[in-house]
């Protein structure tokens, strides 16, 4: 008896859903249409969100007017910086080898900045902050002359 009662309940629910669903769903309305139809809806948002929206609007208005707030930083980011990559590897010994190469180059070329980075999965050693490619090529030649064993790894990269 309980199976029949459950069966009847399921059938009643299905019938009611098929009758009520089309009336409830009706046509899809956009958010603005729903807000216009029911003015009792209120939207509550935090002050932080309001201030961020206002900042974004003021920035876009300034950009449209031709005044660019971050023009100096954008100009600086467009300037290419060249470096000489001395080492890049992802073997098990890569960290130790990269550290050793960094120390060797740093002790020999004290006038250049030397950077040791880990960009998964590679350990990399880069030298210098050169404004032109020709300066980087000159530094590469100096490094190659001082450390001929590093020649296979040497290359110029843009940073």
């Amino acid at each position: 008896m309980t199976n029949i009662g459950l069966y009847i309940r399921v059938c009643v629910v299905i019938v009611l859903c098929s009758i009520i669903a089309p009336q409830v769903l009706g046509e899809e309305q956009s958010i603005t249409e729903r807000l216009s139809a029911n003015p009792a809806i209120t939207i509550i948002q935090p002050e932080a969100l309001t201030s961020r929206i206002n900042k974004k609007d003021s920035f876009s208005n300034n950009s449209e007017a031709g005044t660019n707030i971050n023009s100096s930083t954008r100009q600086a980011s467009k300037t290419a910086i060249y470096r000489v990559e001395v080492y890049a590897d992802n073997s098990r010994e890569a960290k130790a080898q990269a550290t050793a190469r960094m120390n060797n180059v740093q002790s020999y070329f004290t006038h250049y900045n030397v950077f040791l980075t880990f960009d998964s999965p590679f350990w990399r050693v880069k030298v210098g902050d050169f404004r032109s490619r020709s300066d980087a090529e000159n530094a590469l030649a100096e490094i190659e002359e001082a450390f001929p064993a590093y020649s296979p790894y040497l290359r110029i990269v843009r940073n």
Side-chain angles (χ1 to χ4, degrees), residues 10-155:
V10 170
C11 289
V12 169
V13 169
I14 291 173
V15 170
L16 287 176
C17 287
S18 64
I19 294 171
I20 296 173
Q23 294 174 357
V24 172
L25 295 177
E27 289 184 27
E28 289 188 29
Q29 293 180 333
S30 69
I31 293 174
T32 54
E33 290 172 345
R34 286 187 184 181
L35 287 175
S36 300
N38 187 0
I41 297 174
T42 57
I43 299 173
I44 301 171
Q45 66 186 22
E47 277 299 314
L49 178 60
T50 306
S51 65
R52 290 187 92 181
I53 291 171
N54 291 338
K55 283 181 184 177
K56 184 178 179 183
D57 289 342
S58 67
F59 178 73
S60 63
N61 290 340
N62 287 340
S63 296
E64 291 169 6
T67 57
N68 194 346
I69 296 172
N70 294 327
S71 61
S72 61
T73 56
R74 286 187 182 168
Q75 185 64 29
S77 66
K78 289 182 181 178
T79 305
I81 295 175
Y82 297 93
R83 290 185 177 161
V84 177
E85 189 172 79
V86 177
Y87 183 76
D89 198 2
N90 65 348
S91 66
R92 291 182 187 260
E93 307 84 30
K95 182 178 180 182
Q97 291 174 354
T99 304
R101 290 217 182 168
M102 180 192 70
N103 292 335
N104 289 343
V105 172
Q106 207 167 29
S107 65
Y108 196 85
F109 296 103
T110 57
H111 56 285
Y112 291 141
N113 293 329
V114 181
F115 303 94
L116 172 65
T117 58
F118 178 71
D119 297 321
S120 183
F122 286 92
W123 285 93
R124 299 180 191 277
V125 177
K126 297 178 185 175
V127 177
D129 289 321
F130 304 105
R131 296 282 175 208
S132 69
R133 185 168 178 89
S134 63
D135 291 342
E137 288 171 353
N138 293 338
L140 186 141
E142 287 179 38
I143 295 169
E144 191 171 24
E145 185 178 323
F147 301 102
Y150 295 175
S151 293
Y153 290 96
L154 296 177
R155 68 186 187 116

